[in-house]
Amino acid sequence: MSNKKRILTGIRPTGKLHLGHYFGAVRNWVKLQNEYQSFFEIADVQGLTDNFNNPEKIRNNVKEVTIDLLSLGIDPKISTIFIQSTIPEIAELTVFYSNLVTMSRLYRNPTVKTEIKQKKELFGNSGESVTYGFVGYPVSQAADITAFEGSLVPVGEDQLPLIEQTREIVHKFNSIYGETLTIPEPLLTSTPRIKGLDGNEKMGKSLGNAIYLSDGEKEIEKKVMGAITDPSKIKKDDPANPEICMVYYYHKLLENQNLKTVCEECKQGKRGCVACKKELIQVMMEFLKPIQEKRHYYEEHLEEVDQILKNGSENAKKVAEEVIKRVKENMQINYFK
Ligand code: TRP
């Protein structure tokens, strides 16, 4: 393997990918794969921490997310896409690391804290819905990162506390058992969160405002027609402020060639919102077209998708085997040659 620095990042297979995933993360991964040796983990075990009673959902989305990644330009010839559960070394490391983390530290992890709060809002305040596996998922994520000696971890801001926790685990491991593991650094994605057409600060599946990469014209039409525009504009020829209009925000995000005109006409009251939305539907369909063509190809060639995952998982396993060998040696639990 090349001696380029290695990046490792993961994605939970809990749903198809949407524009927020692309602009917030995957677009950056596609660029990074040319500069770094890239490992992309489909984190099915982590997905199960919240969905252990719904295995079909995770199973189906492993395939969907892989197809989405391939359609967006992750290139299996230069990058490794693999499934977390096919690498038992990750589970082994998780057990070893679990001794190096206190419960109170896990409960103080801001990402875990926020997620527990959301669960309590959903399921009531008993806290009974919080499982051992869920509270411990940062430990498992530390195993994900270190099993592949990921030195850079491209993530969004919400994941920083998990990388910090990984660094703590690695420091502790190395100080007890000797220099063994690579200390990872986060590689913060510069793109801010993608807003929803409904004006929400975030596009998300659970917020019901997601535009999926696989959405057809009918779905796009419905979502765009319902978008929030400048509320002061009542009549078609009222002038309005594009800066507070979600339709304009998306024209800009999708790099409409006609952006200047959209902006000027809106300000001068020369463009009605319906026409502006119709134009956005066209721009969005154009944007999605090549992605959906690739998606269609992979849907017709599922055996190719399987093969990519199989090769990727084999490749990833080789790396993890080297790491676990060193880990066991240094922990003095390597009994037989
Ligand atoms: N927790 C990440 C998320 O929800 C997904 C993930 C799993 C991950 N394993 C990882 C991210 C390892 C970075 C590194 O988005």
Side-chain angles (χ1 to χ4, degrees), residues 21-291:
H21 290 114
Y22 177 63
F23 286 106
V26 183
R27 178 167 62 167
N28 195 33
W29 300 356
V30 171
K31 280 197 214 124
L32 290 169
Q33 67 181 343
N34 298 309
E35 278 168 66
Y36 299 101
Q37 221 190 99
S38 304
F39 279 61
F40 300 108
E41 178 184 276
I42 311 288
D44 59 344
V45 177
Q46 192 178 110
L48 283 165
T49 56
D50 286 278
N51 296 281
F52 57 87
N53 50 1
N54 197 355
E56 307 82 33
K57 173 173 160 190
I58 299 298
R59 170 86 187 196
N60 288 334
N61 282 310
V62 167
K63 186 187 72 198
E64 296 295 349
V65 168
T66 306
I67 293 179
D68 280 329
L69 291 179
L70 294 168
S71 308
L72 289 173
I74 299 294
D75 179 356
K77 287 198 207 70
I78 52 174
S79 296
T80 299
I81 309 176
F82 68 99
I83 305 176
Q84 184 184 16
S85 65
T86 64
I87 317 288
E89 287 78 4
I90 297 174
E92 289 185 78
L93 288 176
T94 305
V95 174
F96 304 154
Y97 297 167
S98 65
N99 294 326
L100 309 179
V101 186
T102 62
M103 289 309 286
S104 65
R105 177 65 183 87
L106 283 171
Y107 278 122
R108 265 190 289 117
N109 182 312
T111 311
V112 175
K113 227 165 135 176
T114 315
E115 286 169 340
I116 288 181
K117 201 167 142 251
Q118 287 164 353
K119 273 181 197 293
K120 287 192 175 158
E121 280 160 13
L122 273 173
F123 303 111
N125 209 22
S126 66
E128 275 165 21
S129 61
V130 179
T131 62
Y132 162 63
F134 179 79
V135 182
Y137 95 79
V139 184
S140 160
Q141 187 154 322
D144 291 343
I145 296 168
T146 52
F148 308 98
E149 307 193 280
S151 41
L152 291 171
V153 188
V155 283
E157 197 130 8
D158 64 314
Q159 294 287 306
L160 288 180
L162 295 173
I163 313 299
E164 189 47 42
Q165 182 128 43
T166 302
R167 290 167 58 87
E168 283 173 31
I169 292 172
V170 171
H171 276 298
K172 194 146 188 194
F173 190 101
N174 287 349
S175 73
I176 299 171
Y177 303 110
E179 286 305 313
T180 318
L181 304 165
T182 311
I183 299 172
E185 303 266 354
L187 191 63
L188 203 58
T189 313
S190 55
T191 345
R193 279 226 154 110
I194 306 307
K195 295 184 192 159
L197 277 168
D198 58 354
N200 200 304
E201 282 306 307
K202 188 184 164 196
M203 177 183 282
K205 184 178 43 175
S206 52
L207 297 165
N209 62 0
I211 295 181
Y212 293 96
L213 298 164
S214 50
D215 273 351
E217 189 153 8
K218 280 254 142 31
E219 284 126 330
I220 302 276
E221 230 172 72
K222 208 168 110 211
K223 291 174 187 176
V224 172
M225 290 322 269
I228 299 291
T229 54
D230 179 349
S232 73
K233 183 170 165 114
I234 317 267
K235 291 198 298 301
K236 182 165 127 219
D237 46 7
D238 285 343
N241 176 8
E243 293 310 323
I244 56 169
C245 172
M246 295 321 294
V247 178
Y248 181 69
Y249 174 89
Y250 273 81
H251 275 297
K252 202 155 67 180
L253 185 70
L254 297 170
E255 296 175 6
N256 182 350
Q257 305 279 314
N258 206 15
L259 191 66
K260 265 215 171 86
T261 316
V262 175
C263 183
E264 289 311 313
E265 287 185 354
C266 173
K267 281 187 186 159
Q268 295 163 8
K270 286 187 187 159
R271 149 181 298 252
C273 292
V274 172
C276 192
K277 285 174 175 175
K278 287 202 166 137
E279 183 173 333
L280 179 61
I281 294 166
Q282 286 320 309
V283 170
M284 207 174 266
M285 290 308 295
E286 265 319 289
F287 173 83
L288 291 174
K289 200 170 152 204
I291 300 167

